[in-house]
Amino acid sequence: MENQTVRQVARISVGGNSVRVVLSNAFGEKPLTIGAGSVAIAGKGGNVDQATLKPLTWGGNSSVVVPPGAPILSDPIALSAEALSEISVSIFLPKKTALSSVHWDGVQTAYISGPGNFTNEAAFKADSTLKSRLFLSDIWVDAVPESEAIVFFGDSITDGNCSTPDANNRWPDHIAKRLQEANRKVAVVNEAFSGNRVLTDGMGVNALGRFDSDILSHPKVSTVVLMMGINDIGWPGENAITPDDKEPTAQDIITGYKQLIDRAHAHGIRIVGATLTPFAETFKGLPTEGYYTPEKEKIRVAVNEWIRTGGGFDGVVDFDKVMEDPAKPGYLRDDYDCGDNLHPNDAGYKAMADAVDLDVLLGSAK
């Protein structure tokens, strides 16, 4: 991209009177130049509420250069936003920019302009769109002092793969709504992406490798919810799934969990474990159908048994029982299946969220 504006929308979970935007050049090999930026309450189709449109600044400057590997935090911007509001963030990229720090399956439309800086325009004319997040990492809200945050740490299922785009139907999205309805002062942070694994890199950095940057970097984190491991089992290799790939043992994955538990506890953070959902016949008939085998199912069952009974986690959410077809053990329920035997549909994601006991999720939090 070059001499173009990108406008993106993200829903916040708690409300406040000012926001700060975090942009990321985490995977960039060159400095990232942001020529201008803005924030506003989102409207429809890439448009925003003109009365709320505010320029972003960084140390009082209207532009910023982000070093390779670094995030950049904007100045606080006065913006009154209610809980569950949709916030629009626009950035102008004046120089030729490689799309390096990207969340490819954002399940949210990114609007890309033709040539020019349109960050200050309420009506946005998009020349193209993507369903990815480009350089946008976080939106921080100045919530009430007693508020706290839960980080949902996972893979494509927590990322909302197969859910309806622009509809906020990921299961953590539904949790955010439930928390607001219960008057809990708790922010929801989704740190999940497709293909993520506990032990090894795949479509991004493994969980052990990104724990510090993706958990500890967030303010006021009280709890982590871990739902990860199915890709370690189903897709253990580096590239295509082949019979020669050696999947980890259940104990290997459990050892990874124990590391994450210890690291969370070392920072005074609770960690809740979620069981791995059924995946029988995942990608059947496709080149990737080796993702599931009966031998791999035995690993999933053993991992889930440890999550339930091993005593390592501060709480457990048993999504396996919620999502399993009672007539076909090991299979995802048909009415919750988006069609690949692995990922839930919108109804499935809502069922997952509805099954979560908020007291288990929050422990002693009020």
Side-chain angles (χ1 to χ4, degrees):
M1 296 180 63
E2 183 177 11
N3 187 29
Q4 290 173 280
T5 302
V6 181
R7 179 163 288 177
Q8 301 174 79
V9 176
R11 193 181 75 172
I12 58 174
S13 48
V14 296
N17 292 315
S18 72
V19 300
R20 305 184 79 171
V21 173
V22 182
L23 302 175
S24 176
N25 194 23
F27 301 102
E29 297 180 353
K30 297 180 179 180
L32 169 65
T33 299
I34 305 296
S38 67
V39 64
I41 301 297
K44 294 184 178 181
N47 299 329
V48 302
D49 178 355
Q50 177 73 64
T52 66
L53 185 59
K54 305 288 182 65
L56 291 175
T57 57
W58 298 269
N61 301 306
S62 60
S63 62
V64 69
V65 176
V66 189
I72 198 79
L73 177 64
S74 78
D75 299 331
I77 306 299
L79 181 70
S80 181
E82 296 181 355
L84 306 179
S85 295
E86 291 198 323
I87 304 297
S88 174
V89 176
S90 302
I91 55 173
F92 172 54
L93 303 172
K95 297 183 177 181
K96 189 173 183 178
T97 304
L99 300 183
S100 53
S101 300
V102 172
H103 181 172
W104 76 267
D105 190 18
V107 202
Q108 189 81 34
T109 303
Y111 302 91
I112 302 171
S113 76
N117 175 8
F118 301 100
T119 57
N120 199 39
E121 300 293 328
F124 193 87
K125 184 179 184 302
D127 273 14
S128 61
T129 60
L130 293 172
K131 289 295 187 290
S132 303
R133 294 211 186 275
L134 313 180
F135 307 111
L136 177 61
S137 178
D138 302 43
I139 300 174
W140 293 4
V141 179
D142 71 329
V144 294
E146 63 269 28
S147 63
E148 57 194 271
I150 300 176
V151 181
F152 292 81
F153 198 41
D155 51 36
S156 57
I157 294 174
T158 301
D159 200 20
N161 182 275
C162 267
S163 67
T164 301
D166 303 324
N168 298 308
N169 275 330
R170 310 164 191 85
W171 70 267
D173 294 333
H174 292 294
I175 292 289
K177 185 177 180 181
R178 287 189 60 203
L179 287 166
Q180 286 302 311
E181 291 171 346
N183 199 31
R184 303 291 184 104
K185 299 176 177 63
V186 181
V188 166
V189 180
N190 192 328
E191 284 287 3
F193 61 82
S194 291
N196 199 206
R197 298 186 285 215
V198 175
L199 302 174
T200 57
D201 290 353
M203 294 167 64
V205 178
N206 67 82
L208 295 171
R210 69 185 183 98
F211 183 87
D212 289 6
S213 62
D214 290 2
I215 305 297
L216 303 183
S217 64
H218 295 291
K220 304 182 75 171
V221 175
S222 63
T223 303
V224 174
V225 181
L226 175 68
M227 184 187 180
M228 202 184 306
I230 198 66
N231 288 315
D232 294 80
I233 298 167
W235 177 36
E238 294 185 3
N239 297 303
I241 298 170
T242 72
D244 296 329
D245 294 336
K246 179 62 177 175
E247 60 268 9
T249 66
Q251 189 57 52
D252 291 335
I253 296 171
I254 292 165
T255 298
Y257 287 166
K258 289 179 178 179
Q259 276 287 308
L260 295 171
I261 291 166
D262 286 348
R263 288 164 67 182
H265 288 168
H267 290 271
I269 297 172
R270 298 175 66 252
I271 182 164
V272 173
T275 54
L276 306 180
T277 48
F279 78 132
E281 297 188 358
T282 287
F283 307 138
K284 184 178 181 181
L286 299 174
T288 51
E289 69 176 347
Y291 190 97
Y292 170 82
T293 66
E295 291 73 23
K296 291 178 178 180
E297 170 67 357
K298 293 176 183 177
I299 300 171
R300 185 187 74 93
V301 169
V303 168
N304 279 349
E305 183 61 21
W306 186 86
I307 293 171
R308 293 185 185 107
T309 65
F313 289 106
D314 298 298
V316 174
V317 177
D318 201 343
F319 285 145
D320 179 33
K321 289 185 177 179
V322 175
M323 304 302 285
E324 185 176 59
D325 188 332
K328 295 190 296 181
Y331 285 77
L332 194 63
R333 284 177 48 158
D334 287 344
D335 53 340
Y336 291 164
D337 185 0
C338 82
D340 62 8
N341 299 319
L342 175 66
H343 296 100
N345 55 22
D346 286 348
Y349 284 125
K350 187 173 188 303
M352 290 172 68
D354 288 347
V356 174
D357 184 330
L358 296 184
D359 289 329
V360 170
L361 195 65
L362 297 171
S364 60
K366 301 297 183 185

